[in-house]
Amino acid sequence: MAAARGTLLLFVLVGVSAIVLVGGVSSNVAELERERWREKLPEVAIPQTLLARLSPLSLTQMHNFLAGLKKTNATSFDANRFCRSAGLICREDVVFVDQVGSSFTNPHEKHEENVFLDKEELRESGEIILPDLSPPINLISFLPSELSEMMPPFSSANVSQILNLLNIPSESNMSRSMESTLEMCEGRGEEGEVKRCSTSVEGMVEFVVSRLGSDVDLLTDTSVVGSGQRVTVTKASKRENFVGGKPPVTCHNFMFPYGVSYCHSINGSEVFDLQLEVVQDKEKITRNATALCHYLSDGAGANQTACHPVYGEMLLWTPKPKLD
Ligand SMILES: *[C@@H]1O[C@H](CO)[C@@H](O)[C@H](O)[C@H]1NC(C)=O
Ligand SMILES: *[C@@H]1O[C@H](CO)[C@@H](O)[C@H](O)[C@H]1NC(C)=O
Ligand SMILES: *[C@@H]1O[C@H](CO)[C@@H](O)[C@H](O)[C@H]1NC(C)=O
Ligand SMILES: *[C@@H]1O[C@H](CO)[C@@H](O)[C@H](O)[C@H]1NC(C)=O
Ligand SMILES: *[C@@H]1O[C@H](CO)[C@@H](O)[C@H](O)[C@H]1NC(C)=O
Ligand SMILES: *[C@@H]1O[C@H](CO)[C@@H](O)[C@H](O)[C@H]1NC(C)=O
């Protein structure tokens, strides 16, 4: 009896260690990605906009695709099955996304309407026009870091290899978007700006932790209440006393067949907590919002101010406030 129990225990232990070898106690890749997040950021919950973009792959699929990518003969790699199973977008019939012209990441390009808020109005009784708060949120899944590291280098010199591997025609909207994304990722950036593009959730978290440490607050706002309206500010308070005085980090989704996150932090950025009076169903209601202001050198000794609300897919990471 005791021997039988011992054998059973042995089986259980062998079973458990086999699972541990594959990746903690994860049963699928999304769980693996969550586990890695928890390791680095135990106090921070993963926001909905990211949960929706964790990899849908099973661990077995991940290992099979990894083996396929490792083979030198890539002609045997089934791009369609890879794109479909991993939640990627490898189709041609998608809109072109011009990241270089996007005003969030390139504030000198001001052609996008109403994205910016007037800094002078971020005060009690100020009036601002909220942007369209429902920009298309792309739900392209991130690859787990194992797979994203096996892809051809994330570099404009290697776009054709990525296109070939994923069976995406060059000159397509997707290939043009990819080039635009890489141009932004490889660009010099602003004075006082530190940025990084990550092709996995793990890479994004690593960048954030390298900038701010793991004691951070993460803010998102996917509400579209007040979208496009001219609204009154009823309260505005600038967040002070960030631990270490470090500037916040913001992350944006960039267009690519797999998840790409563009995260940057700019010296001298400020965060404002706002209370707004907006109209919903013909009634005035109060809505909270957060605005981020960057001060960018105009190259002639003066500063250009760029304030925008946090909304949609944006992630705002701030150091924790100091407790006095
Ligand atoms: C690559 O693999 C495919 C299918 O498995 C095969 O038809 C082809 O001959 C291989 N090419 C080389 C160069 O080995
Ligand atoms: C390419 O993108 C443009 C918008 O930038 C869109 O109008 C057009 O329909 C797209 N083409 C395809 C084939 O989807
Ligand atoms: C990346 O691009 C460079 C320059 O074109 C090339 O030499 C290299 O082989 C490419 N790497 C891969 C993995 O395709
Ligand atoms: C940001 O400011 C700090 C303190 O003035 C400075 O040490 C750091 O180099 C600046 N960062 C960049 C990217 O300019
Ligand atoms: C521009 O902004 C930086 C960073 O906030 C600040 O240190 C500097 O004094 C500002 N310069 C002018 C001319 O306002
Ligand atoms: C708005 O923020 C205030 C604190 O500034 C908080 O007390 C309140 O609960 C928030 N309202 C909503 C709807 O989140």
Side-chain angles (χ1 to χ4, degrees):
M1 192 62 195
R5 212 179 292 148
T7 312
L8 181 63
L9 184 64
L10 185 66
F11 272 120
V12 171
L13 286 178
V14 169
V16 168
S17 54
I19 295 169
V20 168
L21 279 179
V22 182
V25 288
S26 317
S27 54
N28 55 44
V29 176
E31 186 47 45
L32 184 64
E33 291 171 309
R34 292 160 76 130
E35 197 180 299
R36 289 172 176 168
W37 174 292
R38 280 194 296 268
E39 248 164 53
K40 291 276 164 62
L41 297 169
E43 308 287 327
V44 184
I46 305 187
Q48 279 302 322
T49 49
L50 268 187
L51 279 179
R53 303 183 64 209
L54 297 181
S55 177
L57 291 173
S58 69
L59 290 175
T60 310
Q61 284 173 317
M62 177 176 82
H63 289 297
N64 289 344
F65 287 124
L66 264 179
L69 285 170
K70 275 181 189 147
K71 284 198 188 116
T72 45
N73 181 357
T75 52
S76 60
F77 186 73
D78 188 340
N80 288 343
R81 206 155 66 86
F82 179 58
C83 293
R84 202 167 358 98
S85 328
L88 314 191
I89 294 196
C90 306
R91 302 193 319 263
E92 318 172 36
D93 59 336
V94 289
V95 294
F96 167 57
V97 180
D98 178 15
Q99 302 293 176
V100 174
S102 126
S103 43
F104 271 149
T105 44
N106 192 354
H108 299 303
E109 300 272 345
K110 288 212 171 182
H111 59 248
E112 245 177 77
E113 277 171 55
N114 294 345
V115 169
F116 292 98
L117 308 174
D118 185 351
K119 164 90 193 286
E120 300 303 313
E121 300 292 320
L122 300 182
R123 56 174 169 82
E124 197 181 323
S125 309
E127 287 211 340
I128 56 176
I129 298 171
L130 286 175
D132 175 1
L133 299 171
S134 56
I137 294 181
N138 84 54
L139 290 178
I140 300 171
S141 300
F142 280 96
L143 290 172
S145 56
E146 288 92 332
L147 278 171
S148 78
E149 282 159 17
M150 281 305 293
M151 298 299 286
F154 183 72
S155 146
S156 49
N158 295 90
V159 174
S160 58
Q161 281 93 349
I162 303 176
L163 294 173
N164 281 340
L165 181 69
L166 299 181
N167 216 353
I168 299 169
S170 50
E171 309 301 326
S172 60
N173 276 354
M174 179 52 97
S175 77
R176 289 167 60 224
S177 300
M178 289 162 73
E179 277 162 16
S180 178
T181 287
L182 286 162
E183 189 180 336
M184 277 308 293
C185 290
E186 291 168 3
R188 199 171 52 86
E190 300 286 336
E191 202 182 310
E193 177 181 28
V194 179
K195 66 181 172 65
R196 188 188 295 167
C197 287
S198 305
T199 54
S200 64
V201 177
E202 294 93 315
M204 178 180 71
V205 168
E206 188 196 300
F207 176 70
V208 169
V209 172
S210 77
R211 300 301 304 161
L212 304 176
S214 55
D215 212 8
V216 289
D217 284 327
L218 170 55
L219 188 137
T220 59
D221 186 348
T222 52
S223 162
V224 294
V225 172
S227 189
Q229 289 178 20
R230 171 180 285 274
V231 304
T232 305
V233 179
T234 48
K235 258 189 216 162
S237 59
K238 188 173 116 179
R239 287 201 203 173
E240 306 277 2
N241 298 326
F242 288 140
V243 171
K246 297 168 191 153
V249 174
T250 35
C251 299
H252 306 268
N253 286 349
F254 266 22
M255 191 62 161
F256 217 69
Y258 38 96
V260 169
S261 172
Y262 176 103
C263 298
H264 60 163
S265 84
I266 303 178
N267 265 352
S269 301
E270 293 174 325
V271 176
F272 291 87
D273 290 305
L274 307 175
Q275 204 178 69
L276 308 174
E277 193 177 76
V278 305
V279 176
Q280 188 182 35
D281 301 328
K282 295 184 181 155
E283 285 194 36
K284 281 186 178 171
I285 61 161
T286 294
R287 177 214 207 282
N288 288 344
T290 304
L292 178 71
C293 295
H294 300 305
Y295 304 96
L296 304 166
S297 163
D298 69 353
N303 282 338
Q304 197 186 23
T305 306
C307 299
H308 59 76
V310 175
Y311 69 94
E313 43 75 36
M314 276 182 63
L315 307 177
L316 172 68
W317 304 84
T318 63
K320 285 254 197 254
K322 251 183 275 180
L323 299 172
D324 301 316

